[in-house]
Amino acid sequence: MMEEVKEVVSALSVHGHNIKIPEVVTDGDTLTFLVVSQKLSGTGEYHVYRTWDDFEWLQQHLFSQEDVPGIQGIIFPPLPAKAHVNPSAKVMKQLGFLGLGEWQPYCKALETFLQQVATHKILSKNKAVEVFLTSSDAPGRQKVKKNIFNRLSQAVEEMRKEGHKDVDEFFQSERDHNLVLTGCSKTAAEKFLDVVLTEQKVAVACGHFSAALHLCVEAGEDPDKKAFSRLCVKISEVFDSMKKNVTSVAENNMKTLGLGLDLESRYQEAEREMLFRRTCKLVELENAKRNAEKAKPVKKAVMEEVKTATETEFQQICGVSKQEISRFQGVRVKMLQQALVQWCEKQLLTAKESADQFNQHLQAFRGMA
């Protein structure tokens, strides 16, 4: 086991944008992921095996950097929910697209998480990132201390602060915009998932009907029976092609736009959490100002120090968060654009292949006439 990781500045020794998770291994109820990173030196690759608990360990280390100025202003890359070998209906609903396709979408989501962390100018400096990507040993299982994010995000009484009026029009506008986009992106992902699940059901039904048609095939020399049997076989082939077509369409939807919408939804939620942390600090600052104004002479100096320290923290958070929002807007547009382009390219290719296949079936039917 590794020793406790100290958060210190550390340059990564791998290419952050090219991290891959090509394989997932099932061991009982545990999923283990192979993480492959290319060395900056160009001399090879790091191959390490990580469980979801290891990913959570990394995320907690990133959260607990309270000594980093403005850390609460970061839009942390969202870590997917924990996957299970035999997930319940509740877990499958929570995972959405990431629970489909033999875990390929889930691996892709973990890849994106690691790439976003490793290419982030602040988060990539945390030594835990280097340890996670390069050490052959599993990270320590020690409990990371509860930090500011746990306290702010999980406290029910803090939720009332979400509606607190902002003093900065930029952030008030961003909060309003994010509130709408969070709901819309979640709904879009859920509706598109319904489409894919329905396509999968249609594909299964086509396969069943294709197989059932073979039950109608009869042996014998009777001309009518022979003709009917040939027809059943041909129709069966058509439905088998339909099954393959719908299966491909569903897979294309899942691997392109489905993953894109899922990531968009989770990132909007991550921005919402960042904006909430900043709002909480704003409320804290306003309280500190009031306390300093009302303080009796004997406590005035102490209250003024608290106000100044809180004001400094708030300004640092605002500075980091404005940069994060600007970066986030660019990244989310690029990712959604990429997902849409890949979606169109994949579906066009599938449509052309299917059209050729159905044309062959049509010519075969004409030959039977």
Side-chain angles (χ1 to χ4, degrees), residues 213 216-234 368:
L213 283 168
C216 301
V217 175
E218 293 186 59
E221 296 302 319
D222 185 287
D224 290 337
K225 288 185 177 180
K226 287 177 72 174
F228 181 69
S229 294
R230 282 202 308 273
L231 186 61
C232 286
V233 170
K234 282 298 177 187
M368 292 172 65

Side-chain angles (χ1 to χ4, degrees), residues 63 70-78 116 120 123 174 178 266-275 277 320-329:
F63 282 174
I71 187 71
Q72 294 179 56
I74 288 178
I75 301 174
F76 286 90
Q116 292 297 313
H120 195 283
L123 300 180
E174 187 65 22
N178 171 260
R266 290 186 293 112
Y267 247 118
Q268 288 294 344
E269 187 64 30
E271 187 194 17
R272 188 190 71 82
E273 291 175 358
M274 180 278 287
L275 291 168
R277 292 192 295 268
V320 170
S321 59
K322 281 190 175 182
Q323 293 177 10
E324 285 285 291
I325 289 169
S326 175
R327 176 179 178 273
F328 169 61
Q329 302 296 5

Side-chain angles (χ1 to χ4, degrees), residues 172-222:
Q172 185 63 55
S173 176
E174 187 65 22
R175 284 165 58 187
D176 294 341
H177 192 56
N178 171 260
L179 183 64
V180 173
L181 279 180
T182 299
C184 289
S185 59
K186 183 179 180 181
T187 300
E190 290 175 347
K191 296 298 183 185
F192 199 59
L193 176 61
D194 288 340
V195 170
V196 172
L197 293 175
T198 302
E199 287 168 340
Q200 290 179 338
K201 291 175 183 176
V202 170
V204 170
C206 286
H208 287 165
F209 190 59
S210 174
L213 283 168
H214 281 277
L215 299 176
C216 301
V217 175
E218 293 186 59
E221 296 302 319
D222 185 287

Side-chain angles (χ1 to χ4, degrees), residues 109-127:
L110 290 178
E111 268 184 22
T112 302
F113 167 75
L114 290 177
Q115 290 168 3
Q116 292 297 313
V117 169
T119 55
H120 195 283
K121 66 179 183 180
I122 296 176
L123 300 180
S124 61
K125 294 177 181 178
N126 188 309
K127 192 180 178 184

Side-chain angles (χ1 to χ4, degrees), residues 220-274:
E221 296 302 319
D222 185 287
D224 290 337
K225 288 185 177 180
K226 287 177 72 174
F228 181 69
S229 294
R230 282 202 308 273
L231 186 61
C232 286
V233 170
K234 282 298 177 187
I235 295 175
S236 174
E237 290 173 357
V238 171
F239 272 89
D240 186 61
S241 293
M242 289 172 64
K243 170 195 158 188
K244 291 175 181 175
N245 168 252
V246 178
T247 299
S248 294
V249 169
E251 190 171 317
N252 294 341
N253 285 338
M254 174 183 69
K255 290 184 176 179
T256 57
L257 188 55
L259 275 178
L261 290 173
D262 171 81
L263 183 61
E264 167 74 5
S265 176
R266 290 186 293 112
Y267 247 118
Q268 288 294 344
E269 187 64 30
E271 187 194 17
R272 188 190 71 82
E273 291 175 358
M274 180 278 287

Side-chain angles (χ1 to χ4, degrees), residues 28-201:
D29 293 331
T30 304
L31 293 170
T32 304
F33 305 90
L34 172 62
V35 180
V36 179
S37 310
Q38 290 186 353
K39 296 181 180 179
L40 281 176
S41 61
T43 56
E45 299 174 333
Y46 287 106
H47 287 228
V48 297
Y49 285 92
R50 298 289 182 251
T51 64
W52 188 87
D53 290 340
D54 297 327
F55 280 88
E56 186 182 39
W57 171 90
L58 172 61
Q59 186 187 54
Q60 287 299 320
H61 269 285
L62 298 177
F63 282 174
S64 62
Q65 303 177 92
E66 293 185 35
D67 57 330
V68 177
I71 187 71
Q72 294 179 56
I74 288 178
I75 301 174
F76 286 90
L79 177 65
K82 186 173 184 178
H84 299 269
V85 175
N86 298 304
S88 63
K90 182 180 178 181
V91 172
M92 284 298 290
K93 184 178 180 181
Q94 187 180 21
L95 289 174
F97 280 102
L98 305 187
L100 305 178
E102 300 294 319
W103 301 117
Q104 293 104 326
Y106 193 82
C107 290
K108 190 67 180 175
L110 290 178
E111 268 184 22
T112 302
F113 167 75
L114 290 177
Q115 290 168 3
Q116 292 297 313
V117 169
T119 55
H120 195 283
K121 66 179 183 180
I122 296 176
L123 300 180
S124 61
K125 294 177 181 178
N126 188 309
K127 192 180 178 184
V129 180
E130 174 78 9
V131 169
F132 182 93
L133 294 172
T134 64
S135 177
S136 57
D137 296 328
R141 291 289 186 271
Q142 71 281 347
K143 290 286 184 182
V144 180
K145 65 177 181 177
K146 292 291 182 181
N147 52 69
I148 193 72
F149 303 104
N150 297 109
R151 294 200 300 272
L152 292 182
S153 297
Q154 296 176 8
V156 176
E157 64 271 15
E158 298 287 345
M159 295 306 293
R160 60 186 174 80
K161 296 178 183 177
E162 272 199 311
H164 187 81
K165 180 71 176 174
D166 212 295
V167 295
D168 189 319
E169 186 59 37
F170 169 82
F171 284 104
Q172 185 63 55
S173 176
E174 187 65 22
R175 284 165 58 187
D176 294 341
H177 192 56
N178 171 260
L179 183 64
V180 173
L181 279 180
T182 299
C184 289
S185 59
K186 183 179 180 181
T187 300
E190 290 175 347
K191 296 298 183 185
F192 199 59
L193 176 61
D194 288 340
V195 170
V196 172
L197 293 175
T198 302
E199 287 168 340
Q200 290 179 338
K201 291 175 183 176

